[in-house]
Amino acid sequence: MIRDALRSPLAWILCAAAALRITGLFWGLPAADGWDNDGFAPRNFLTALALTYTPGSYFTYPPLHAFVLAVLTLPGIVIALFGLPSFTQADVVATFTSPALATYFAVVARLVSIGMSLGIIWCVGDMARRLAGARAGLFAAGACALSVVLTYYGQVSNLDVPYLFWASLSLLFVMRAVTEQQRRFLWWAALLAAAAIATKDQAYAVFALTLPLFLLAWFAADPWPRRNARGVVTTLLLAAVSSLFALLLVDGAISNPVGFARRVAFLVGPASQDYAAYANGPAGWLVLLQDVVAFFVKGYGAVPALLALGGVALHLAGTRQDRSVWVAGLLPLLAIISFTLCFNVSAGRTDHRFLMPHAVFACVYIGIAAAWLAFHANRWLATVARLGLVATALLALHHCVAINAAMLMDPRYDAERWMAQHVRPGDTIEIYGQNIFQPRYPAHAKVSRVGSGDLNVRNPLPGVTELREPFTAPRGAKFIVVNGNWMSRYLRVPRPLESGRIYPGVQREVFRDNDARSYFLALDNDRLSYRLVHVAQYKSRFWPATHIHDSLAEPIGIYERLP
């Protein structure tokens, strides 16, 4: 069995993809919290379980992945519980936010993401294989393995890879049901779709338009479902009802309906609309679609974008003798369209993670076009195509490795080294912003985090004193350490934007906070009693700086109080 796996090109693709993702396993660790923005571990997954089923409460995300991580980390949880000095809230929080236990949680969660990202690559390869043969499957898997966005999210604890894993499996089972003419696979497809939505709510957008349009196309183009209409419709209805019940049960809608309703209201309100970057109207939709196209052309290059379009054209123009295969090939395209209209347009967002479904499902068509070109009957065309594909793959690999370089050369490491050399025992350090923006601070320093937000909702850091007061209040810390990306929101000057674009609500709120903006502008312009003594920033002549989710290659400024 091992010998057969070693002979499989797909196995080598998956091994290479795993190697690209292993760098992030200990990125920023050991620590009490992770550097992956919006990460589900180490802090959030146990909180998600507790709040989802507490009457009237809710957590931002559904609990399915929390269950997965809770089961996998159970040995560490049990050991931690037996080691508690007491079950008071203070001791429980201190234990479960300790660097040792938090690091264990983070590593387990990142290993799960690595495994699920490999599962996505396999799903994409199998989809293309079923549509256009083994060669197309290998090219599709290779293209997916070299996705820059999937390379980053495939090694952090965010929920984007887990939900996309379940969604990819669901679409694959729909494809199997159609091409193999087996109704039982529709059950798996429905349950896996429910699992995707129970992992992250935005997964609904993968299926909202996809499944209705696909079923219409299937019945219209393929005689098999029409001949077996009664059985197919019965299976679809039973699978849909059962999956919906399972989703509502896991999501807490049945046991905690008030909390569930509050979570839905939060998701369709502040959670999405406060971050919308496009106007809700034709002008905004047009600019958003232009940005989606630019994401592929600029982020992945013109060649992969053309290959994806070519793969769609090749499939649509292909022979329709096998109607089931032809209609199955519409699934990835419909998923891209559905997610664009039902999430990107409605939420007004095109962040990297919100375009990952497009990047992943487009690889199915990239594989189809690449195989057609590389093994074309015309030898000259095939030779040129192979050379071009190799060059494109090497360029994509260069950008993927740049993700790992950004993690290994994270500016926060440089900031930590500087503080280890210059911060003396008892020195005071003032910091701002969420945990993900912070380097790890010397244990012998006195660190205070200043902000105006409610202290009860702050994510605590061991050894950090939390202060709720204006930035302008006199404190006199010896050092100020601030993330450049976080501070930039206060340094922006409001200017008119092009038609269709808007400032997100969170940025508009910052514009209204004149005291905070004045403080950080004065700090940046040396008008306070501090001078900038060190800037930790990403430096590489070979690997391009990659900025994803406010987490990579962001500078850290260190200011020292003037004598």
Side-chain angles (χ1 to χ4, degrees):
M1 184 176 179
I2 297 177
R3 185 179 299 176
D4 293 338
L6 292 175
R7 292 175 180 174
S8 169
L10 179 59
W12 286 104
I13 290 173
L14 294 176
C15 286
L20 283 173
R21 286 152 177 74
I22 206 68
T23 303
L25 192 59
F26 292 100
W27 173 49
L29 300 176
D33 205 348
W35 285 348
D36 38 350
N37 192 3
D38 205 23
F40 203 48
R43 295 291 181 89
N44 289 335
F45 71 97
L46 292 177
T47 305
L49 284 177
L51 293 180
T52 298
Y53 303 107
T54 300
S57 298
Y58 70 91
F59 189 73
T60 304
Y61 300 118
L64 181 62
H65 200 61
F67 278 114
V68 173
L69 295 183
V71 170
L72 294 176
T73 58
L74 188 59
I77 294 173
V78 172
I79 293 172
L81 290 174
F82 276 109
L84 283 173
S86 73
F87 282 93
T88 62
Q89 183 179 5
D91 283 337
V92 171
V93 171
T95 298
F96 278 83
T97 59
S98 65
L101 192 59
T103 297
Y104 168 69
F105 288 157
V107 169
V108 171
R110 292 177 183 183
L111 285 171
V112 172
S113 291
I114 291 173
M116 287 184 163
S117 72
L118 299 182
I120 292 172
I121 295 168
W122 178 83
C123 285
V124 167
D126 201 49
M127 287 181 190
R129 179 188 66 81
R130 292 175 180 276
L131 298 177
R135 291 168 175 169
L138 292 176
F139 278 112
C144 194
L146 293 174
S147 166
V148 175
V149 181
L150 187 60
T151 298
Y152 171 75
Y153 284 103
Q155 52 190 318
V156 294
S157 65
N158 298 74
L159 291 174
D160 301 272
V161 160
Y163 96 76
L164 197 54
F165 168 71
W166 298 119
S168 300
L169 270 179
S170 175
L171 294 183
L172 179 59
F173 271 98
V174 173
M175 196 174 284
R176 290 191 64 183
V178 172
T179 57
E180 298 179 28
Q181 299 180 346
Q182 296 288 337
R183 286 180 294 159
R184 70 178 187 275
F185 291 138
L186 294 174
W187 277 95
W188 283 106
L191 291 171
L192 289 165
I197 300 171
T199 299
K200 195 171 187 183
D201 298 275
Q202 71 191 49
Y204 84 92
V206 174
F207 307 102
L209 295 179
T210 302
L211 295 182
L213 293 177
F214 177 78
L215 290 174
L216 289 174
W218 186 28
F219 273 83
D222 190 350
W224 184 81
R226 295 197 297 272
R227 290 197 302 267
N228 300 272
R230 183 175 181 179
V232 171
V233 172
T234 301
T235 300
L236 285 170
L237 289 175
L238 291 176
V241 171
S242 301
S243 300
L244 179 61
F245 176 78
L247 173 61
L248 295 176
L249 182 65
V250 172
D251 256 8
I254 295 175
S255 58
N256 181 19
V258 174
F260 178 77
R262 288 176 177 173
R263 180 167 73 84
V264 172
F266 172 72
L267 291 173
V268 299
S272 57
Q273 297 309 311
D274 282 357
Y275 296 88
Y278 302 90
N280 185 18
W285 303 335
L286 179 60
V287 175
L288 183 146
L289 294 175
Q290 290 172 349
D291 285 352
V292 172
V293 174
F295 166 77
F296 281 97
V297 176
K298 296 179 181 178
Y300 288 89
V303 174
L306 291 173
L307 285 173
L309 290 175
V312 172
L314 284 170
H315 181 76
L316 294 178
T319 177
R320 299 192 184 185
Q321 290 180 349
D322 192 338
R323 297 293 182 86
S324 61
V325 172
W326 185 85
V327 76
L330 301 178
L331 266 175
L333 177 61
L334 290 174
I336 293 172
I337 295 172
S338 179
F339 198 89
T340 301
L341 297 178
C342 296
F343 183 83
N344 299 124
V345 170
S346 64
R349 303 185 67 180
T350 56
D351 309 44
H352 285 93
R353 64 192 185 279
F354 301 140
L355 295 177
M356 190 157 59
H358 311 63
V360 164
F361 295 129
C363 290
V364 175
Y365 303 108
I366 290 176
I368 293 173
W372 183 84
L373 287 169
F375 294 93
H376 197 275
N378 186 310
R379 290 187 178 182
W380 285 104
L381 177 60
T383 301
V384 172
R386 291 177 185 181
L387 292 174
L389 290 171
V390 169
T392 302
L394 290 175
L395 182 61
L397 178 62
H398 178 73
H399 286 288
C400 288
V401 177
I403 296 290
N404 299 326
M407 290 179 168
L408 293 173
M409 295 185 284
D410 194 300
R412 282 167 285 204
Y413 290 133
D414 180 44
E416 291 169 0
R417 289 189 292 267
W418 191 93
M419 288 187 287
Q421 295 173 5
H422 295 87
V423 176
R424 301 289 177 252
D427 281 350
T428 52
I429 300 175
E430 183 168 301
I431 65 175
Y432 317 109
Q434 298 96 311
N435 294 0
I436 59 105
F437 294 112
Q438 309 301 330
R440 294 163 294 185
Y441 295 98
H444 56 260
K446 297 179 180 179
V447 185
S448 299
R449 176 160 48 184
V450 179
S452 58
D454 187 351
L455 296 183
N456 293 324
V457 299
R458 279 199 205 169
N459 225 336
L461 281 173
V464 174
T465 301
E466 302 290 349
L467 300 177
R468 183 183 184 183
E469 57 187 50
F471 294 115
T472 53
R475 287 174 294 272
K478 183 174 183 181
F479 297 99
I480 289 176
V481 179
V482 60
N483 183 287
N485 178 284
W486 181 87
M487 190 167 77
S488 67
R489 67 189 69 179
Y490 293 94
L491 303 180
R492 292 192 186 106
V493 178
R495 293 187 176 91
L497 299 176
E498 68 174 290
S499 177
R501 298 188 188 277
I502 61 173
Y503 285 109
V506 289
Q507 181 62 61
R508 295 197 298 271
E509 184 177 347
V510 168
F511 286 151
R512 291 191 291 268
D513 192 347
N514 292 321
D515 289 341
R517 293 183 65 238
S518 298
Y519 173 78
F520 286 109
L521 284 169
L523 179 65
D524 187 58
N525 292 316
D526 297 326
R527 296 201 302 268
L528 299 181
S529 55
Y530 288 87
R531 63 186 176 95
L532 182 65
V533 292
H534 184 69
V535 177
Q537 55 189 342
Y538 179 76
K539 297 177 182 178
S540 177
R541 294 182 178 179
F542 187 72
W543 306 110
T546 305
H547 302 274
I548 295 181
H549 209 164
D550 299 335
S551 299
L552 290 180
E554 306 299 347
I556 303 290
I558 301 178
Y559 299 81
E560 185 175 9
R561 187 173 181 83
L562 294 172

